[in-house]
Amino acid sequence: MSFVTDYDPLFCCYRYFWVVALVVALYTISVMFRVNMRPANDLQGLYRELDIRARTLGRKPNPPRCAKKTNVAFLKVHKAGSTTIMNIFIRFALSNDLNLVLPRRSNGSGFNYLGYGKTLNRSNIIPLPGNETYNILCNHVVYNKEAFDSVMPRDSVYVAILREPKSHFISAASYYGFIPVLKKAFPELKNASAGTLLDKFLRKVSTSGSDSGRGLSYVNNRQAFDFGIPTSLFRNKFAINKYIEKLDQEFPLVMIMEHFEESLVLMKRYLCWDLQEILYVPLNINKGKKKNPVQLPAESEKFLHYFDYADFQLYDHFVKRFEDQMAMEGPGFQDEVSKFREIKAQVTEFCQSKPTSDRSLIVEPSRWNSKFNVTSEDCKEMMLPELPMMSMLIDSANSRYSDWLRVQAFQNSQQWRELSYESQMKCKSELQVTSFDYG
């Protein structure tokens, strides 16, 4: 017995069509679901994935638009290249008409600190007019998330920088006058080298177990202290690791001084800035250390690990994370770093030539930047020392707030209420506060 089955071509086409339609629909839904579920900071990874698929199909999608981040808290860690980065943030704030978190005093010892050995407090910063908000925080202050959050907007990005602890220890000891203190503490070594003095000190600390004394605050786990780790926990491995886990969640980017250009390019990408906004001319460099570098004996490093235990734990964690973050950016990242170095060298040479006001440097466009000019005024801003710049900024902010108070008092007066609308508008324009200028 045989069976005969009629073959219907039209029915097969319909069936094939609905199978294909179902597959396409399921794929589209899965992509939409993954976009919605994926964190905002991971969208670039999705774009790279879609880019690979698009190239396979012979077409390339447009990259997603990136909104420039204007609310940033930068933790200015001592002796870690942070003055140069602070200058970058200040120039960004001024060029974008943003509000800086500034200390009240414009002179005196430590006037440039938002908190001298302590965290942020609103009573120590200049208030803002009306309903304005702070945008950029970049002065020295001890980190405390709750204190920072009480001042900065909710969408603020937290950024910091770290330096290799041995290099940091030597730099801080030289800069903050710790070597002369050691010569007095060890008179038998008054003619010895700085490295020998530091070695003697580290050996004594490791055997005595005491790391308290004059001049130690800037050399003993100073980076950990700036990050808010209490001094009582400097050798508590469990507590330090728990605190580092917390910092890892709160700081999407901790830059590394030993990868300075890479750090700035990564910051540019994370904040969606333009390349010209991260340009700099090096500031606050200890020129003497290049002529007479301090050499710490190799055998004393194990004693330094004991003395600066918290700093080493902090650095080891974030340098590994930073290397992972660079790797995730793909091969184009190093190309952009190379281009940034090339342009920075041009800008540094131009600015150090002390150009007159009629000269400018034209930077041609590339894959990583649009065409832009660097003027003598730009050079002046990049090379202005921290303290004079800070003093001018503070005076300007204090004057602006005082003018606003004066306007408010006048607008609440009987004299104001008796003015016509046209006269009120004229008064407002005359009382308008001008923006900060370097002069």
Side-chain angles (χ1 to χ4, degrees), residues 104 123 192 246 314:
R104 288 180 179 268
S123 63
K246 177 174 175 287
L314 194 65

Side-chain angles (χ1 to χ4, degrees), residues 18-73:
W18 286 113
V19 169
V20 171
L22 180 61
V23 170
V24 171
L26 288 174
Y27 177 78
T28 303
I29 292 170
S30 69
V31 170
M32 293 174 63
F33 178 78
R34 288 162 62 193
V35 170
N36 290 331
M37 293 298 293
R38 191 181 296 261
N41 60 3
D42 201 30
L43 283 176
Q44 194 64 34
L46 176 61
Y47 167 69
R48 283 195 290 267
E49 179 184 333
L50 293 175
D51 182 47
I52 293 171
R53 299 184 183 189
R55 283 202 302 270
T56 303
L57 296 173
R59 64 182 187 276
K60 187 177 180 71
N62 294 322
R65 291 184 178 275
C66 189
K68 185 175 293 188
K69 309 294 190 301
T70 56
N71 297 325
V72 185

